[in-house]
mmCIF file of all heavy atoms in Angstrom:
data_model
loop_
_atom_site.group_PDB
_atom_site.id
_atom_site.type_symbol
_atom_site.label_atom_id
_atom_site.label_comp_id
_atom_site.label_asym_id
_atom_site.label_seq_id
_atom_site.Cartn_x
_atom_site.Cartn_y
_atom_site.Cartn_z
ATOM 1 N N ILE A 1 -3.967 -4.267 -1.508
ATOM 2 C CA ILE A 1 -2.690 -3.631 -1.844
ATOM 3 C C ILE A 1 -2.792 -2.127 -1.641
ATOM 4 O O ILE A 1 -3.752 -1.482 -2.071
ATOM 5 C CB ILE A 1 -2.298 -3.930 -3.301
ATOM 6 C CG1 ILE A 1 -2.124 -5.439 -3.511
ATOM 7 C CG2 ILE A 1 -1.001 -3.200 -3.673
ATOM 8 C CD1 ILE A 1 -1.809 -5.825 -4.942
ATOM 9 N N SER A 2 -1.784 -1.571 -0.988
ATOM 10 C CA SER A 2 -1.658 -0.116 -0.871
ATOM 11 C C SER A 2 -0.315 0.298 -1.441
ATOM 12 O O SER A 2 0.636 -0.490 -1.466
ATOM 13 C CB SER A 2 -1.776 0.333 0.589
ATOM 14 O OG SER A 2 -0.763 -0.259 1.392
ATOM 15 N N ILE A 3 -0.228 1.523 -1.912
ATOM 16 C CA ILE A 3 1.027 2.017 -2.473
ATOM 17 C C ILE A 3 1.311 3.419 -1.935
ATOM 18 O O ILE A 3 0.392 4.146 -1.535
ATOM 19 C CB ILE A 3 1.015 2.049 -4.016
ATOM 20 C CG1 ILE A 3 -0.033 3.046 -4.538
ATOM 21 C CG2 ILE A 3 0.773 0.661 -4.589
ATOM 22 C CD1 ILE A 3 0.067 3.297 -6.036
ATOM 23 N N GLY A 4 2.595 3.773 -1.920
ATOM 24 C CA GLY A 4 2.980 5.140 -1.591
ATOM 25 C C GLY A 4 3.344 5.385 -0.149
ATOM 26 O O GLY A 4 3.591 6.534 0.231
ATOM 27 N N GLY A 5 3.397 4.340 0.685
ATOM 28 C CA GLY A 5 3.843 4.548 2.058
ATOM 29 C C GLY A 5 5.345 4.793 2.111
ATOM 30 O O GLY A 5 6.078 4.494 1.170
ATOM 31 N N ASP A 6 5.794 5.334 3.212
ATOM 32 C CA ASP A 6 7.228 5.574 3.378
ATOM 33 C C ASP A 6 7.549 5.603 4.859
ATOM 34 O O ASP A 6 6.693 5.934 5.690
ATOM 35 C CB ASP A 6 7.643 6.902 2.730
ATOM 36 C CG ASP A 6 9.113 6.916 2.308
ATOM 37 O OD1 ASP A 6 9.799 5.894 2.514
ATOM 38 O OD2 ASP A 6 9.564 7.945 1.775
ATOM 39 N N ALA A 7 8.775 5.251 5.205
ATOM 40 C CA ALA A 7 9.218 5.210 6.597
ATOM 41 C C ALA A 7 10.225 6.328 6.847
ATOM 42 O O ALA A 7 10.476 7.168 5.988
ATOM 43 C CB ALA A 7 9.822 3.846 6.912
ATOM 44 N N GLY A 8 10.807 6.348 8.034
ATOM 45 C CA GLY A 8 11.797 7.360 8.370
ATOM 46 C C GLY A 8 11.169 8.648 8.857
ATOM 47 O O GLY A 8 9.996 8.719 9.216
ATOM 48 N N TYR A 9 11.967 9.723 8.883
ATOM 49 C CA TYR A 9 11.482 11.008 9.371
ATOM 50 C C TYR A 9 10.348 11.551 8.506
ATOM 51 O O TYR A 9 9.491 12.279 8.995
ATOM 52 C CB TYR A 9 12.627 12.028 9.403
ATOM 53 C CG TYR A 9 13.678 11.725 10.442
ATOM 54 C CD1 TYR A 9 15.021 11.590 10.090
ATOM 55 C CD2 TYR A 9 13.351 11.587 11.784
ATOM 56 C CE1 TYR A 9 16.000 11.322 11.032
ATOM 57 C CE2 TYR A 9 14.319 11.320 12.737
ATOM 58 C CZ TYR A 9 15.643 11.181 12.361
ATOM 59 O OH TYR A 9 16.604 10.909 13.304
ATOM 60 N N ALA A 10 10.333 11.192 7.222
ATOM 61 C CA ALA A 10 9.288 11.662 6.317
ATOM 62 C C ALA A 10 8.222 10.598 6.125
ATOM 63 O O ALA A 10 7.667 10.438 5.042
ATOM 64 C CB ALA A 10 9.888 12.048 4.968
ATOM 65 N N ALA A 11 7.897 9.870 7.185
ATOM 66 C CA ALA A 11 6.979 8.741 7.093
ATOM 67 C C ALA A 11 5.610 9.175 6.598
ATOM 68 O O ALA A 11 5.140 10.286 6.869
ATOM 69 C CB ALA A 11 6.850 8.060 8.447
ATOM 70 N N GLY A 12 4.961 8.287 5.867
ATOM 71 C CA GLY A 12 3.597 8.504 5.398
ATOM 72 C C GLY A 12 2.953 7.166 5.117
ATOM 73 O O GLY A 12 3.634 6.149 4.946
ATOM 74 N N PHE A 13 1.622 7.155 5.067
ATOM 75 C CA PHE A 13 0.894 5.914 4.881
ATOM 76 C C PHE A 13 0.496 5.725 3.424
ATOM 77 O O PHE A 13 0.195 6.682 2.709
ATOM 78 C CB PHE A 13 -0.349 5.884 5.766
ATOM 79 C CG PHE A 13 -0.039 5.955 7.233
ATOM 80 C CD1 PHE A 13 -0.690 6.864 8.046
ATOM 81 C CD2 PHE A 13 0.916 5.123 7.790
ATOM 82 C CE1 PHE A 13 -0.393 6.939 9.401
ATOM 83 C CE2 PHE A 13 1.221 5.186 9.142
ATOM 84 C CZ PHE A 13 0.566 6.096 9.942
ATOM 85 N N GLY A 14 0.475 4.466 3.017
ATOM 86 C CA GLY A 14 0.080 4.151 1.661
ATOM 87 C C GLY A 14 -1.417 4.287 1.446
ATOM 88 O O GLY A 14 -2.210 4.418 2.376
ATOM 89 N N THR A 15 -1.821 4.267 0.181
ATOM 90 C CA THR A 15 -3.214 4.387 -0.236
ATOM 91 C C THR A 15 -3.664 3.074 -0.855
ATOM 92 O O THR A 15 -3.005 2.538 -1.747
ATOM 93 C CB THR A 15 -3.364 5.513 -1.274
ATOM 94 O OG1 THR A 15 -2.920 6.738 -0.704
ATOM 95 C CG2 THR A 15 -4.810 5.657 -1.700
ATOM 96 N N VAL A 16 -4.786 2.551 -0.377
ATOM 97 C CA VAL A 16 -5.338 1.322 -0.933
ATOM 98 C C VAL A 16 -5.811 1.585 -2.355
ATOM 99 O O VAL A 16 -6.517 2.563 -2.617
ATOM 100 C CB VAL A 16 -6.502 0.809 -0.063
ATOM 101 C CG1 VAL A 16 -7.153 -0.411 -0.716
ATOM 102 C CG2 VAL A 16 -6.020 0.453 1.328
ATOM 103 N N ILE A 17 -5.437 0.725 -3.291
ATOM 104 C CA ILE A 17 -5.720 0.996 -4.700
ATOM 105 C C ILE A 17 -6.955 0.278 -5.222
ATOM 106 O O ILE A 17 -7.387 0.564 -6.347
ATOM 107 C CB ILE A 17 -4.513 0.649 -5.591
ATOM 108 C CG1 ILE A 17 -4.184 -0.844 -5.525
ATOM 109 C CG2 ILE A 17 -3.304 1.486 -5.203
ATOM 110 C CD1 ILE A 17 -3.137 -1.281 -6.533
ATOM 111 N N GLY A 18 -7.538 -0.637 -4.452
ATOM 112 C CA GLY A 18 -8.712 -1.321 -4.964
ATOM 113 C C GLY A 18 -9.099 -2.508 -4.114
ATOM 114 O O GLY A 18 -8.551 -2.724 -3.032
ATOM 115 N N PRO A 19 -10.048 -3.314 -4.574
ATOM 116 C CA PRO A 19 -10.526 -4.475 -3.813
ATOM 117 C C PRO A 19 -9.427 -5.511 -3.612
ATOM 118 O O PRO A 19 -8.417 -5.538 -4.332
ATOM 119 C CB PRO A 19 -11.654 -5.038 -4.692
ATOM 120 C CG PRO A 19 -11.991 -3.968 -5.663
ATOM 121 C CD PRO A 19 -10.753 -3.162 -5.857
ATOM 122 N N GLY A 20 -9.657 -6.388 -2.617
ATOM 123 C CA GLY A 20 -8.706 -7.451 -2.342
ATOM 124 C C GLY A 20 -8.588 -8.430 -3.500
ATOM 125 O O GLY A 20 -9.541 -8.675 -4.244
ATOM 126 N N LEU A 21 -7.385 -8.992 -3.654
ATOM 127 C CA LEU A 21 -7.108 -9.958 -4.719
ATOM 128 C C LEU A 21 -6.850 -11.331 -4.111
ATOM 129 O O LEU A 21 -6.378 -11.439 -2.976
ATOM 130 C CB LEU A 21 -5.878 -9.531 -5.519
ATOM 131 C CG LEU A 21 -5.919 -8.165 -6.209
ATOM 132 C CD1 LEU A 21 -4.552 -7.855 -6.803
ATOM 133 C CD2 LEU A 21 -6.999 -8.131 -7.278
ATOM 134 N N ALA A 22 -7.121 -12.364 -4.877
ATOM 135 C CA ALA A 22 -6.742 -13.712 -4.472
ATOM 136 C C ALA A 22 -5.218 -13.815 -4.435
ATOM 137 O O ALA A 22 -4.510 -13.115 -5.177
ATOM 138 C CB ALA A 22 -7.319 -14.731 -5.441
ATOM 139 N N GLY A 23 -4.722 -14.693 -3.584
ATOM 140 C CA GLY A 23 -3.280 -14.803 -3.409
ATOM 141 C C GLY A 23 -2.544 -15.063 -4.693
ATOM 142 O O GLY A 23 -1.472 -14.492 -4.954
ATOM 143 N N GLU A 24 -3.110 -15.908 -5.570
ATOM 144 C CA GLU A 24 -2.423 -16.235 -6.821
ATOM 145 C C GLU A 24 -2.377 -15.060 -7.787
ATOM 146 O O GLU A 24 -1.579 -15.067 -8.741
ATOM 147 C CB GLU A 24 -3.072 -17.441 -7.496
ATOM 148 C CG GLU A 24 -4.535 -17.273 -7.860
ATOM 149 C CD GLU A 24 -5.490 -17.698 -6.754
ATOM 150 O OE1 GLU A 24 -5.046 -17.782 -5.585
ATOM 151 O OE2 GLU A 24 -6.672 -17.945 -7.063
ATOM 152 N N GLU A 25 -3.188 -14.033 -7.544
ATOM 153 C CA GLU A 25 -3.194 -12.855 -8.413
ATOM 154 C C GLU A 25 -2.182 -11.799 -7.999
ATOM 155 O O GLU A 25 -1.836 -10.915 -8.796
ATOM 156 C CB GLU A 25 -4.590 -12.216 -8.414
ATOM 157 C CG GLU A 25 -5.705 -13.080 -8.949
ATOM 158 C CD GLU A 25 -7.060 -12.406 -8.826
ATOM 159 O OE1 GLU A 25 -7.485 -12.115 -7.687
ATOM 160 O OE2 GLU A 25 -7.681 -12.149 -9.877
#
């Protein structure tokens, strides 16, 4: 999971917040 990305003219990339999770989590 990453958070904080954005699209458009002010586009930016999200930041990964931690290790991968199982799908059910």
Side-chain angles (χ1 to χ4, degrees):
I1 299 177
S2 60
I3 64 170
D6 206 0
Y9 292 124
F13 298 130
T15 301
V16 175
I17 63 172
L21 301 173
E24 60 270 19
E25 298 176 298

